[in-house]
Amino acid sequence: MNAKIVLLPGDGIGPEVTEEGRKVLAAVGQKFGHEFSFETHPIGGNAIDDFGDPLPEATLEACRKSDGILLGAVGGPKWDDPTAKTRPEAGLLKIRKELGLFANLRPITTHEFLLDSSPLRREIVEGTDILFIRELTGGIYFGESKIEQNEDGSETATSTMVYSTHEVERVVRIAAKAAQGRGGHLTSVDKANVLEASRLWRKVAERVVKEEFPDLKYDVVLVDAMAMHLISRPSTFDVVVTGNMFGDILTDEGSMLPGSMGLLPSASIGSDGPGLYEPIHGSAPDIAGLGIANPLATILAAAMLLRHSLSMEEEAVAIEKAVDAVLAAGHRTKDLAKENEVALGTIEMGEKVLAELSR
Ligand code: NAD
């Protein structure tokens, strides 16, 4: 199969980790007989410097024509001025909107070898393998928002949570399909005891699952209870689908479980067209250019690209197994290494994964 992959390295450690992701994709292509072509385009702070725009038109056009997009990270102190005309993050928001990427997928998987780095006890996190699916383009972050002056001089602010049938249906379908390909268990999280928008969410989600995915084990959990279950029994969940704000909060809570952010990838996908794949960490300006960033989250994001945009499950699993094997063999970058352990650099860690893949 031929596939066109766009690389958006971005700022800070972005270029360093994206390059390792590219090498791994190229190696998998070779191993499985695919022809992957790569094009690199600017996004974020460097794009503001060079083009005055965090998402230049040519970048967006190349992304539209691609089969999948691998992003590093954007941002850094150089572009932090709150009064600046535009900021690096605006490029990310625009690309998600322009490409209709309404579902954010975040796997939260614990690795046996890092269980003791988790802030929770080993016996609680052991076996955790959750795929969070957060609605990304609706809900309270996109509903009407205003601030009004009251007669007594005080102010009243309003943020509105809005969901329509169609918005819930499409994200629940993505989650249900993912659950069919995994453990067959889907959990929907809402706040239907209080919010009208959640009552619609619950009604639509239940209908979609009952009518279209009757084979799934399906349950519903209130978001406040979910915040507790996530740290008391994380290993009992498989796929979890929820709205924008609840997902924002729960996925950050969940990202602490595996013990390192440097291992967590994420994907933003729509109904069709290319998806956007990236590590969940930022541009880490404190270590940019030192060659010590952990590339594994980006490499795992590359695996997600193969799975979700190119339907290459076997190839994705090959990458995930290679990463597991590298960690099992005790290889660590600085963010994972204990005091007495030797830390590998970004390129060396990438080479370990490549070596595993070529076995
Ligand atoms: P960060 O994730 O960049 O860094 C937090 C800490 O984790 C730092 O100490 C960093 O060195 C470390 N770290 C992060 N990734 C690492 C890796 N792969 N290997 C080793 N260590 C790693 O978060 P921050 O410092 O809050 O943000 C820095 C910049 O990144 C900001 O400008 C922020 O806006 C931006 N950001 C971008 C994205 C994105 O592009 N999606 C996401 C989050 C933050």
Side-chain angles (χ1 to χ4, degrees):
M1 175 179 176
N2 289 351
K4 226 190 270 177
I5 296 170
V6 163
L7 304 171
L8 305 179
D11 308 313
I13 60 168
E16 300 166 48
V17 293
T18 309
E19 175 57 11
E20 299 313 303
R22 183 197 65 76
K23 287 185 207 159
V24 166
L25 283 170
V28 168
Q30 212 169 27
K31 179 170 174 157
F32 288 86
H34 304 302
E35 189 85 20
F36 295 152
S37 66
F38 299 96
E39 257 182 51
T40 302
H41 289 272
I43 191 169
N46 65 85
I48 296 177
D49 289 351
D50 294 344
F51 304 96
D53 183 351
L55 184 68
E57 199 45 45
T59 297
L60 185 57
E61 215 28 56
C63 290
R64 280 211 176 95
K65 289 189 190 136
S66 75
D67 297 301
I69 306 155
L70 186 66
L71 172 87
V74 301
K78 184 174 174 197
W79 306 280
D80 264 354
D81 178 1
T83 62
K85 213 170 79 218
T86 182
R87 288 168 56 91
E89 293 75 12
L92 275 188
L93 293 181
K94 186 166 173 202
I95 197 171
R96 287 178 185 146
K97 185 159 174 277
E98 291 287 331
L99 298 179
L101 306 175
F102 60 81
N104 185 242
L105 278 57
R106 275 221 210 168
I108 294 177
T109 312
T110 50
H111 296 262
E112 176 61 29
F113 336 102
L114 294 173
L115 286 179
D116 295 321
S117 311
S118 174
L120 297 184
R121 287 201 311 276
R122 164 181 273 270
E123 61 269 29
I124 290 179
V125 275
E126 205 159 26
T128 297
D129 181 10
I130 308 174
L131 178 62
F132 259 101
I133 302 193
R134 162 189 171 194
E135 200 288 327
L136 200 59
T137 54
I140 196 163
Y141 294 171
F142 289 86
E144 194 197 344
S145 165
K146 61 180 180 191
I147 185 150
E148 290 164 309
Q149 200 76 31
N150 300 321
E151 274 174 15
D152 65 0
S154 63
E155 293 173 302
T156 300
T158 311
S159 302
T160 323
M161 184 182 285
V162 188
Y163 271 117
S164 61
T165 303
H166 167 67
E167 284 174 301
V168 182
E169 281 173 348
R170 62 185 189 178
V171 73
V172 169
R173 279 194 189 108
I174 285 191
K177 275 186 204 144
Q180 280 180 328
R182 292 173 40 107
H185 178 196
L186 177 64
T187 303
S188 175
V189 174
D190 63 37
K191 187 70 185 166
N193 55 342
V194 178
L195 301 172
E196 201 57 51
S198 273
R199 282 193 273 277
L200 178 73
W201 179 286
R202 184 174 291 203
K203 187 170 79 178
V204 174
E206 271 174 9
R207 173 175 54 74
V208 169
V209 174
K210 240 188 210 157
E211 288 177 2
E212 301 173 32
F213 305 90
D215 51 319
L216 290 182
K217 178 180 169 212
Y218 177 67
D219 46 34
V220 173
V221 179
L222 290 172
V223 64
D224 39 344
M226 188 65 191
M228 295 191 294
H229 298 331
L230 198 52
I231 52 167
S232 59
R233 53 176 181 90
S235 62
T236 62
F237 297 99
D238 178 16
V239 177
V240 178
V241 63
T242 189
N244 203 344
M245 182 170 66
F246 301 154
D248 189 7
I249 298 165
L250 290 174
T251 53
D252 263 23
E253 184 189 357
S255 72
M256 293 309 293
L257 302 179
S260 170
M261 254 184 11
L263 292 176
L264 295 177
S266 105
S268 303
I269 61 176
S271 299
D272 46 32
L276 177 72
Y277 302 84
E278 57 186 307
I280 73 156
H281 61 70
S283 59
D286 53 333
I287 57 165
L290 300 182
I292 58 169
N294 182 351
L296 294 180
T298 310
I299 289 171
L300 291 169
M304 290 189 85
L305 185 156
L306 296 178
R307 172 175 294 120
H308 296 287
S309 279
L310 303 178
S311 300
M312 294 183 181
E313 180 64 23
E314 197 187 345
E315 291 82 340
V317 169
I319 296 180
E320 289 161 352
K321 283 201 168 140
V323 168
D324 263 349
V326 164
L327 290 170
H331 301 303
R332 305 280 186 264
T333 38
K334 194 158 180 283
D335 54 311
L336 301 177
K338 297 204 183 85
E339 247 169 47
N340 53 348
E341 283 177 335
V342 182
L344 299 182
T346 310
I347 295 174
E348 290 167 293
M349 187 53 129
E351 278 166 358
K352 294 288 179 204
V353 177
L354 291 172
E356 271 307 320
L357 275 171
S358 68
R359 268 177 209 273

